[in-house]
Amino acid sequence: AQSVTQLGSHVSVSEGALVLLRCNYSSSVPPYLFWYVQYPNQGLQLLLKYTTGATLVKGINGFEAEFKKSETSFHLTKPSAHMSDAAEYFCAVSGGGTSYGKLTFGQGTILTVHP
Amino acid sequence: DTAVSQTPKYLVTQMGNDKSIKCEQNLGHDTMYWYKQDSKKFLKIMFSYNNKELIINETVPNRFSPKSPDKAHLNLHINSLELGDSAVYFCASSPPGVPLEQYFGPGTRLTVT
């Protein structure tokens, strides 16, 4: 079984400040991890993913995330927030075997960026 | 130019009705998915088809029936709609051999009154 917990349903930052969105996962097999972004009234867009290899992965729009197996975490960061980053962010996990290809999502974190 | 499209975007209907949501992708992908996002924004997979063959079928009431006429289309038919079916339904697709890279449509907001 696999699950995802996103700590904090709402995060608010000032423009130019560090963005940190937290994600912890549970998986019985080595996980594949993802961050998606959803802008209002739109579908989900893939920001970045970790499958194998380097544990620090870079995505679009200046976001990056680090896979830490010992902490079962995959936190999303961006050094400097922009107003256009305001959206809802979802962390997701997929395992191997029969869970391969089946994404399990967290509850989402709404990011607000204020001037 | 649209990659994954869904129709309709909004659907308001009464309890007991039967309705369908259509999904089409022009990305050449061979796997398609239906997800349900409830009022708390919790997103959960419902079905997955690969080359018109059902490969993922989560615990979903059998009032929900997916149909894939070809690998570019995956429709969702819902019988005897209930209040609890109100949600946003997302279609997604993924490239051959890369089921982890899923591209989502804009969603269909279904409201059952």
Side-chain angles (χ1 to χ4, degrees), chain B residues 3 9-10 14 18 24 28 34 36 38 45 56 82 91 102-103 112:
Chain B
K9 192 171 176 62
Y10 299 96
Q14 292 184 327
D18 302 339
E24 176 181 4
W34 277 111
K36 178 181 180 181
D38 63 23
I45 191 166
I56 294 176
E82 300 177 356
C91 177
Q102 296 181 19
Y103 295 76
V112 182

PDB file of all heavy atoms in Angstrom, chain B residues 3 9-10 14 18 24 28 34 36 38 45 56 82 91 102-103 112:
ATOM      1  N   ALA B   3      -3.972  18.998 -25.781  1.00  0.00           N
ATOM      2  CA  ALA B   3      -3.374  17.688 -25.617  1.00  0.00           C
ATOM      3  C   ALA B   3      -4.402  16.678 -25.118  1.00  0.00           C
ATOM      4  O   ALA B   3      -4.666  15.685 -25.768  1.00  0.00           O
ATOM      5  CB  ALA B   3      -2.201  17.793 -24.659  1.00  0.00           C
ATOM      6  N   LYS B   9     -17.250  20.685 -19.905  1.00  0.00           N
ATOM      7  CA  LYS B   9     -16.457  21.251 -18.815  1.00  0.00           C
ATOM      8  C   LYS B   9     -17.280  21.312 -17.520  1.00  0.00           C
ATOM      9  O   LYS B   9     -16.750  21.115 -16.427  1.00  0.00           O
ATOM     10  CB  LYS B   9     -15.977  22.650 -19.194  1.00  0.00           C
ATOM     11  CG  LYS B   9     -14.918  23.217 -18.255  1.00  0.00           C
ATOM     12  CD  LYS B   9     -14.346  24.502 -18.820  1.00  0.00           C
ATOM     13  CE  LYS B   9     -13.354  25.148 -17.859  1.00  0.00           C
ATOM     14  NZ  LYS B   9     -12.188  24.296 -17.584  1.00  0.00           N
ATOM     15  N   TYR B  10     -18.542  21.610 -17.673  1.00  0.00           N
ATOM     16  CA  TYR B  10     -19.464  21.640 -16.534  1.00  0.00           C
ATOM     17  C   TYR B  10     -20.681  20.792 -16.873  1.00  0.00           C
ATOM     18  O   TYR B  10     -21.153  20.796 -18.017  1.00  0.00           O
ATOM     19  CB  TYR B  10     -19.931  23.079 -16.228  1.00  0.00           C
ATOM     20  CG  TYR B  10     -18.818  24.020 -15.870  1.00  0.00           C
ATOM     21  CD1 TYR B  10     -18.237  24.846 -16.835  1.00  0.00           C
ATOM     22  CD2 TYR B  10     -18.326  24.088 -14.577  1.00  0.00           C
ATOM     23  CE1 TYR B  10     -17.212  25.703 -16.517  1.00  0.00           C
ATOM     24  CE2 TYR B  10     -17.294  24.959 -14.244  1.00  0.00           C
ATOM     25  CZ  TYR B  10     -16.743  25.751 -15.220  1.00  0.00           C
ATOM     26  OH  TYR B  10     -15.717  26.602 -14.902  1.00  0.00           O
ATOM     27  N   GLN B  14     -29.733  16.053 -12.432  1.00  0.00           N
ATOM     28  CA  GLN B  14     -30.496  15.643 -11.262  1.00  0.00           C
ATOM     29  C   GLN B  14     -30.196  14.204 -10.887  1.00  0.00           C
ATOM     30  O   GLN B  14     -29.749  13.392 -11.726  1.00  0.00           O
ATOM     31  CB  GLN B  14     -31.989  15.802 -11.547  1.00  0.00           C
ATOM     32  CG  GLN B  14     -32.432  17.257 -11.686  1.00  0.00           C
ATOM     33  CD  GLN B  14     -33.926  17.385 -11.881  1.00  0.00           C
ATOM     34  OE1 GLN B  14     -34.569  16.527 -12.483  1.00  0.00           O
ATOM     35  NE2 GLN B  14     -34.505  18.465 -11.369  1.00  0.00           N
ATOM     36  N   ASP B  18     -28.692   9.547 -16.068  1.00  0.00           N
ATOM     37  CA  ASP B  18     -27.495   8.911 -16.613  1.00  0.00           C
ATOM     38  C   ASP B  18     -26.762   9.951 -17.457  1.00  0.00           C
ATOM     39  O   ASP B  18     -27.383  10.643 -18.266  1.00  0.00           O
ATOM     40  CB  ASP B  18     -27.874   7.728 -17.520  1.00  0.00           C
ATOM     41  CG  ASP B  18     -28.706   6.677 -16.814  1.00  0.00           C
ATOM     42  OD1 ASP B  18     -28.668   6.629 -15.570  1.00  0.00           O
ATOM     43  OD2 ASP B  18     -29.387   5.911 -17.514  1.00  0.00           O
ATOM     44  N   GLU B  24     -10.571  12.897 -24.809  1.00  0.00           N
ATOM     45  CA  GLU B  24      -9.783  12.608 -26.012  1.00  0.00           C
ATOM     46  C   GLU B  24      -8.381  13.144 -25.823  1.00  0.00           C
ATOM     47  O   GLU B  24      -8.187  14.230 -25.271  1.00  0.00           O
ATOM     48  CB  GLU B  24     -10.433  13.265 -27.234  1.00  0.00           C
ATOM     49  CG  GLU B  24      -9.639  13.109 -28.519  1.00  0.00           C
ATOM     50  CD  GLU B  24     -10.281  13.795 -29.709  1.00  0.00           C
ATOM     51  OE1 GLU B  24     -11.317  14.468 -29.526  1.00  0.00           O
ATOM     52  OE2 GLU B  24      -9.749  13.668 -30.823  1.00  0.00           O
ATOM     53  N   GLY B  28      -0.826  10.753 -28.890  1.00  0.00           N
ATOM     54  CA  GLY B  28      -0.314   9.450 -29.319  1.00  0.00           C
ATOM     55  C   GLY B  28      -0.062   8.507 -28.154  1.00  0.00           C
ATOM     56  O   GLY B  28       0.626   7.493 -28.307  1.00  0.00           O
ATOM     57  N   TRP B  34      -9.010   7.753 -15.578  1.00  0.00           N
ATOM     58  CA  TRP B  34     -10.007   8.634 -14.985  1.00  0.00           C
ATOM     59  C   TRP B  34      -9.703   8.778 -13.496  1.00  0.00           C
ATOM     60  O   TRP B  34      -9.485   7.780 -12.795  1.00  0.00           O
ATOM     61  CB  TRP B  34     -11.432   8.089 -15.149  1.00  0.00           C
ATOM     62  CG  TRP B  34     -12.048   8.415 -16.471  1.00  0.00           C
ATOM     63  CD1 TRP B  34     -12.332   7.551 -17.479  1.00  0.00           C
ATOM     64  CD2 TRP B  34     -12.446   9.710 -16.935  1.00  0.00           C
ATOM     65  NE1 TRP B  34     -12.873   8.223 -18.542  1.00  0.00           N
ATOM     66  CE2 TRP B  34     -12.971   9.553 -18.230  1.00  0.00           C
ATOM     67  CE3 TRP B  34     -12.428  10.998 -16.372  1.00  0.00           C
ATOM     68  CZ2 TRP B  34     -13.466  10.617 -18.987  1.00  0.00           C
ATOM     69  CZ3 TRP B  34     -12.914  12.055 -17.123  1.00  0.00           C
ATOM     70  CH2 TRP B  34     -13.426  11.855 -18.419  1.00  0.00           C
ATOM     71  N   LYS B  36     -11.052  11.012  -9.860  1.00  0.00           N
ATOM     72  CA  LYS B  36     -12.132  11.783  -9.246  1.00  0.00           C
ATOM     73  C   LYS B  36     -11.519  12.679  -8.160  1.00  0.00           C
ATOM     74  O   LYS B  36     -10.754  12.198  -7.320  1.00  0.00           O
ATOM     75  CB  LYS B  36     -13.170  10.854  -8.609  1.00  0.00           C
ATOM     76  CG  LYS B  36     -14.311  11.576  -7.910  1.00  0.00           C
ATOM     77  CD  LYS B  36     -15.285  10.587  -7.288  1.00  0.00           C
ATOM     78  CE  LYS B  36     -16.437  11.300  -6.583  1.00  0.00           C
ATOM     79  NZ  LYS B  36     -17.390  10.344  -5.958  1.00  0.00           N
ATOM     80  N   ASP B  38     -12.672  15.015  -5.134  1.00  0.00           N
ATOM     81  CA  ASP B  38     -13.868  15.345  -4.348  1.00  0.00           C
ATOM     82  C   ASP B  38     -13.821  16.786  -3.839  1.00  0.00           C
ATOM     83  O   ASP B  38     -12.901  17.542  -4.168  1.00  0.00           O
ATOM     84  CB  ASP B  38     -14.051  14.345  -3.212  1.00  0.00           C
ATOM     85  CG  ASP B  38     -12.904  14.381  -2.205  1.00  0.00           C
ATOM     86  OD1 ASP B  38     -12.201  15.418  -2.115  1.00  0.00           O
ATOM     87  OD2 ASP B  38     -12.705  13.369  -1.522  1.00  0.00           O
ATOM     88  N   ILE B  45      -7.582   7.779  -8.209  1.00  0.00           N
ATOM     89  CA  ILE B  45      -7.735   7.111  -9.503  1.00  0.00           C
ATOM     90  C   ILE B  45      -8.973   6.211  -9.486  1.00  0.00           C
ATOM     91  O   ILE B  45      -9.320   5.617  -8.461  1.00  0.00           O
ATOM     92  CB  ILE B  45      -6.479   6.295  -9.862  1.00  0.00           C
ATOM     93  CG1 ILE B  45      -6.547   5.830 -11.316  1.00  0.00           C
ATOM     94  CG2 ILE B  45      -6.279   5.120  -8.904  1.00  0.00           C
ATOM     95  CD1 ILE B  45      -5.246   5.312 -11.862  1.00  0.00           C
ATOM     96  N   ILE B  56      -6.511  -0.916 -14.679  1.00  0.00           N
ATOM     97  CA  ILE B  56      -6.725  -0.521 -13.299  1.00  0.00           C
ATOM     98  C   ILE B  56      -8.213  -0.280 -13.101  1.00  0.00           C
ATOM     99  O   ILE B  56      -8.835   0.447 -13.874  1.00  0.00           O
ATOM    100  CB  ILE B  56      -5.941   0.758 -12.926  1.00  0.00           C
ATOM    101  CG1 ILE B  56      -4.437   0.510 -12.962  1.00  0.00           C
ATOM    102  CG2 ILE B  56      -6.340   1.248 -11.524  1.00  0.00           C
ATOM    103  CD1 ILE B  56      -3.604   1.756 -12.710  1.00  0.00           C
ATOM    104  N   GLU B  82     -25.972   9.975  -8.193  1.00  0.00           N
ATOM    105  CA  GLU B  82     -26.269  10.254  -6.791  1.00  0.00           C
ATOM    106  C   GLU B  82     -25.576  11.559  -6.379  1.00  0.00           C
ATOM    107  O   GLU B  82     -24.622  12.000  -7.031  1.00  0.00           O
ATOM    108  CB  GLU B  82     -25.770   9.105  -5.911  1.00  0.00           C
ATOM    109  CG  GLU B  82     -26.402   7.774  -6.238  1.00  0.00           C
ATOM    110  CD  GLU B  82     -25.838   6.635  -5.387  1.00  0.00           C
ATOM    111  OE1 GLU B  82     -24.901   6.896  -4.590  1.00  0.00           O
ATOM    112  OE2 GLU B  82     -26.337   5.501  -5.524  1.00  0.00           O
ATOM    113  N   CYS B  91      -9.506  13.402 -16.647  1.00  0.00           N
ATOM    114  CA  CYS B  91      -8.957  12.401 -17.533  1.00  0.00           C
ATOM    115  C   CYS B  91      -7.453  12.656 -17.649  1.00  0.00           C
ATOM    116  O   CYS B  91      -7.008  13.810 -17.558  1.00  0.00           O
ATOM    117  CB  CYS B  91      -9.626  12.533 -18.895  1.00  0.00           C
ATOM    118  SG  CYS B  91      -9.017  11.431 -20.158  1.00  0.00           S
ATOM    119  N   GLN B 102       2.037  11.302 -16.510  1.00  0.00           N
ATOM    120  CA  GLN B 102       0.631  11.462 -16.852  1.00  0.00           C
ATOM    121  C   GLN B 102       0.297  12.922 -17.125  1.00  0.00           C
ATOM    122  O   GLN B 102       0.696  13.818 -16.387  1.00  0.00           O
ATOM    123  CB  GLN B 102      -0.248  10.903 -15.727  1.00  0.00           C
ATOM    124  CG  GLN B 102      -0.042   9.388 -15.558  1.00  0.00           C
ATOM    125  CD  GLN B 102      -0.892   8.758 -14.485  1.00  0.00           C
ATOM    126  OE1 GLN B 102      -1.900   9.330 -14.053  1.00  0.00           O
ATOM    127  NE2 GLN B 102      -0.510   7.572 -14.053  1.00  0.00           N
ATOM    128  N   TYR B 103      -0.433  13.122 -18.199  1.00  0.00           N
ATOM    129  CA  TYR B 103      -0.864  14.432 -18.635  1.00  0.00           C
ATOM    130  C   TYR B 103      -2.364  14.527 -18.409  1.00  0.00           C
ATOM    131  O   TYR B 103      -3.121  13.684 -18.882  1.00  0.00           O
ATOM    132  CB  TYR B 103      -0.542  14.632 -20.122  1.00  0.00           C
ATOM    133  CG  TYR B 103       0.939  14.646 -20.418  1.00  0.00           C
ATOM    134  CD1 TYR B 103       1.680  13.468 -20.448  1.00  0.00           C
ATOM    135  CD2 TYR B 103       1.606  15.845 -20.662  1.00  0.00           C
ATOM    136  CE1 TYR B 103       3.035  13.480 -20.700  1.00  0.00           C
ATOM    137  CE2 TYR B 103       2.964  15.862 -20.936  1.00  0.00           C
ATOM    138  CZ  TYR B 103       3.674  14.674 -20.948  1.00  0.00           C
ATOM    139  OH  TYR B 103       5.014  14.690 -21.205  1.00  0.00           O
ATOM    140  N   VAL B 112     -24.536  17.168  -9.034  1.00  0.00           N
ATOM    141  CA  VAL B 112     -25.780  16.412  -9.004  1.00  0.00           C
ATOM    142  C   VAL B 112     -26.708  17.055  -7.975  1.00  0.00           C
ATOM    143  O   VAL B 112     -26.329  17.237  -6.811  1.00  0.00           O
ATOM    144  CB  VAL B 112     -25.526  14.935  -8.639  1.00  0.00           C
ATOM    145  CG1 VAL B 112     -26.826  14.146  -8.671  1.00  0.00           C
ATOM    146  CG2 VAL B 112     -24.506  14.318  -9.588  1.00  0.00           C
TER     147      VAL B 112
END
